[in-house]
């Protein structure tokens, strides 16, 4: 109303002012929208950063647990290796004892075989002596030695006859009193 439309320049200026005002408002609103977008992006980045830090803490905790478990496993392996070494040494000592025992057994078996041979020889001699005594008979007042045999059992070996001499008096007349 103040302006008259008669002047063709006036409406043009007014329109330009109006467009400039609208464009300024548009720019401000565009800038506000951009600011909100940047704030949202910043919040999303902050949230992502917080999530990454949380994940990093969890991974650090997992790494520490794995390191601790690895150290415990190494200690267990060392302890078990020590036990294995101890048992191996003990087993070697037992094997030496077994070998020594087997050697002693072999020596004792040889001695036993020799003793069995000696007993068999003694039995044969005793049998020969017995037959000589039986054939030769007993004289008038002489003493007679009675030979008896007995069986001796050894575990794991055949029975062995061992002879033993037992002196006895034959049924001979008693010595005369006038002698």
């Amino acid at each position: 109303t103040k302006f008259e439309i008669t002047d063709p320049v006036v409406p043009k200026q007014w329109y330009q002012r109006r467009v400039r005002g609208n464009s300024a408002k548009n720019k401000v609103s565009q800038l506000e929208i951009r600011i909100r977008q940047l704030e949202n992006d910043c919040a999303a980045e902050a949230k992502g950063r917080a999530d990454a830090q949380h994940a990093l803490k969890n991974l650090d905790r997992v790494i520490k647990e794995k390191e601790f478990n690895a150290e415990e496993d190494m200690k267990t392996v060392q302890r078990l290796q020590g036990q294995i070494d101890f048992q191996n040494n003990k087993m070697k000592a037992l094997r030496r004892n077994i070998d020594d025992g087997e050697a002693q057994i072999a020596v004792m078996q040889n001695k036993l075989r020799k003793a069995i041979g000696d007993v068999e020889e003694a039995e044969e001699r005793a049998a020969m002596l017995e037959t000589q005594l039986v054939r030769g008979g007993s004289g008038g007042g002489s003493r007679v030695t009675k030979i008896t045999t007995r069986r001796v059992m050894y575990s794991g070996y055949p029975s062995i006859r061992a002879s033993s001499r037992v002196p006895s008096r034959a049924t001979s007349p008693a010595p005369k009193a006038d002698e």
Side-chain angles (χ1 to χ4, degrees), residues 141 172-179:
S172 60
K176 296 181 182 175
D178 31 63
E179 289 176 12

Side-chain angles (χ1 to χ4, degrees), residues 81-149:
Q81 187 62 44
Q83 289 177 353
I84 288 170
D85 293 342
F86 175 76
Q87 293 298 330
N88 283 339
N89 290 337
K90 190 174 177 181
M91 191 167 45
K92 287 177 185 176
L94 290 173
R95 281 183 186 157
R96 281 192 298 268
N97 287 347
I98 289 171
D99 291 342
D100 292 345
E102 287 175 347
Q104 289 176 352
I105 288 171
V107 167
M108 296 302 226
Q109 285 175 338
N110 289 336
K111 286 182 180 180
L112 179 64
R113 284 187 198 106
K114 185 177 184 239
I116 289 171
D118 291 346
V119 166
E120 288 174 352
E121 285 178 22
E123 249 179 11
E124 289 173 10
R125 279 183 281 155
M128 286 188 339
L129 287 174
E130 186 176 359
T131 57
Q132 286 175 1
L133 283 175
V134 169
R135 284 186 191 161
S138 56
S142 66
R143 286 177 91 181
V144 176
T145 303
K146 184 179 177 184
I147 299 175
T148 61
T149 57

Side-chain angles (χ1 to χ4, degrees), residues 49-89:
R49 184 174 180 215
D51 290 344
Q53 286 177 342
H54 182 70
L56 182 64
K57 285 180 184 177
N58 286 341
L59 289 176
D60 282 342
R61 181 178 45 86
V62 168
I63 288 171
K64 287 179 183 176
E65 287 176 2
K66 297 294 182 190
E67 287 174 348
F68 178 77
N69 289 340
E71 289 174 8
E72 289 297 314
D73 290 345
M74 288 299 292
K75 289 177 185 176
T76 302
V77 166
Q78 289 173 350
R79 189 184 83 246
L80 291 175
Q81 187 62 44
Q83 289 177 353
I84 288 170
D85 293 342
F86 175 76
Q87 293 298 330
N88 283 339
N89 290 337

Side-chain angles (χ1 to χ4, degrees), residues 21-38:
N22 281 342
S23 79
K25 284 182 184 180
N26 284 340
K27 284 188 179 187
V28 168
S29 66
Q30 286 175 355
L31 289 174
E32 286 175 351
I33 291 171
R34 181 73 178 141
I35 288 171
R36 275 189 238 121
Q37 286 175 346
L38 291 174

